[in-house]
Amino acid sequence: MNAYSALADYYEIFSDKDCDYESWSQYLYRLLKSHGCVKGADVACGTGKMTRLLASYGFNVLGIDKSKEMLTQATAKGHAMYVCQDMTELALPRKVDFITCVNDGVNYLSDKQTEVFFQRVYDNLKEGGVFAFDISTPYKLREKVGNNVFYIDNDDVTCLWCNNVTESKVTMDLTFFKRCGELYSRSDEQHIQYIHDVMGLVDKLTKQGFKCTVSDAYSDNELSNDSLRATIVAIKQEV
């Protein structure tokens, strides 16, 4: 199955275990307000958790994702508008003040695809606009995710998560066992996350016309060798 076909039903349950969306949204709120942002897009929005949080802070935000299953969940939760679109083909009706991409969206892009995506972000932002996103660091993907097996178990579903790491990517095979009365139904899907050098991404953004800062996981702390998540804030420079 395609990535997020089966996971969509349980994404927010599983992601809540290690993703502090509330804290991340407060960081983004302060950042976007400081730059006078009003309208924007949340790209690779998934089930729309960050989209909803940003909308609750008063931002006019459009959620964008290529997974119809994830957007079905997002739409059911309301509070924002959503569009089904591949992030590498990002095309907004008009230029916006900000674009966010939270929780590994850029890790799902190959090295060449990041260049395409950054170009699309640049083209869809106003001058002075804010592009804020994160990636799982090489340290996390190689050392913590690595060639490991994890499982998550709750009353309704059990997930078995098997990883295979190579030089440039991690292939993640997920198997779900969903309780159906006395029986279980099984579904499988595969995710591929690419390992990106943080400063390599910054270099691409700088060449594109952005001025960048890097921090540890939506905080004011500096990135360290054992940081699990890097946050990159890129400001589109005036021509």
Side-chain angles (χ1 to χ4, degrees):
M1 298 178 67
N2 294 328
Y4 293 106
S5 295
L7 181 57
D9 288 341
Y10 314 106
Y11 179 77
E12 292 195 15
I13 297 173
F14 292 161
S15 64
D16 277 349
K17 295 182 181 297
D18 63 354
C19 299
D20 191 351
Y21 277 89
E22 289 287 346
S23 176
W24 297 356
S25 71
Q26 291 165 21
Y27 173 94
L28 291 173
Y29 170 79
R30 294 190 298 270
L31 170 71
L32 299 178
K33 278 296 185 181
S34 71
H35 286 272
C37 296
V38 176
K39 295 183 179 181
D42 184 30
V43 178
C45 69
T47 57
K49 187 160 187 176
M50 183 58 72
T51 318
R52 299 193 304 274
L53 285 166
L54 293 175
S56 74
Y57 295 145
F59 296 109
N60 184 338
V61 56
L62 176 69
I64 296 173
D65 201 282
K66 73 173 184 179
S67 168
K68 294 180 180 179
E69 292 84 0
M70 293 289 267
L71 290 180
T72 295
Q73 295 292 322
T75 302
K77 299 175 190 302
H79 306 294
M81 295 290 292
Y82 298 95
V83 170
C84 188
Q85 190 177 88
D86 191 305
M87 60 197 294
T88 61
E89 299 174 355
L90 181 65
L92 301 175
R94 58 187 61 83
K95 292 185 178 183
V96 293
D97 303 317
F98 70 89
I99 292 174
T100 56
C101 185
V102 174
N103 198 9
D104 297 349
V106 172
N107 285 109
Y108 281 85
L109 301 179
S110 68
D111 188 55
K112 290 184 178 179
Q113 287 176 318
T114 61
E115 295 181 9
V116 175
F117 176 52
F118 292 163
Q119 177 67 63
R120 299 309 306 147
V121 170
Y122 185 89
D123 292 343
N124 284 276
L125 272 179
K126 296 178 180 178
E127 290 186 0
V130 178
F131 174 36
F133 69 98
D134 67 67
I135 62 165
S136 284
T137 61
Y139 171 78
K140 175 185 175 181
L141 292 178
R142 292 194 177 109
E143 304 299 328
K144 296 299 183 179
V145 176
N147 293 300
N148 293 315
V149 177
F150 304 94
Y151 76 91
I152 305 172
D153 188 30
N154 65 23
D155 293 339
D156 298 319
V157 64
T158 296
C159 174
L160 184 65
W161 173 14
C162 304
N163 303 314
N164 178 43
V165 63
T166 63
E167 180 65 24
S168 63
K169 64 185 180 182
V170 179
T171 301
M172 307 173 180
D173 290 303
L174 277 63
T175 299
F176 299 90
F177 297 95
K178 180 181 179 181
R179 184 187 295 275
C180 302
E182 297 298 318
L183 302 176
Y184 287 85
S185 64
R186 172 177 172 167
S187 55
D188 301 89
E189 64 184 47
Q190 186 176 88
H191 296 241
I192 295 175
Q193 288 201 12
Y194 293 88
I195 300 171
H196 295 300
D197 174 70
V198 175
M199 297 315 296
L201 295 178
V202 169
D203 184 57
K204 290 180 183 179
L205 288 161
T206 302
K207 291 178 179 177
Q208 196 70 253
F210 291 98
K211 183 177 180 180
C212 302
T213 57
V214 178
S215 65
D216 184 302
Y218 297 98
S219 74
D220 296 325
N221 300 325
E222 292 185 4
L223 196 68
S224 65
N225 291 333
D226 58 356
S227 292
L228 301 181
R229 188 175 301 280
T231 300
I232 300 175
V233 175
I235 308 300
K236 180 176 177 178
Q237 299 300 287
E238 296 183 6
V239 178

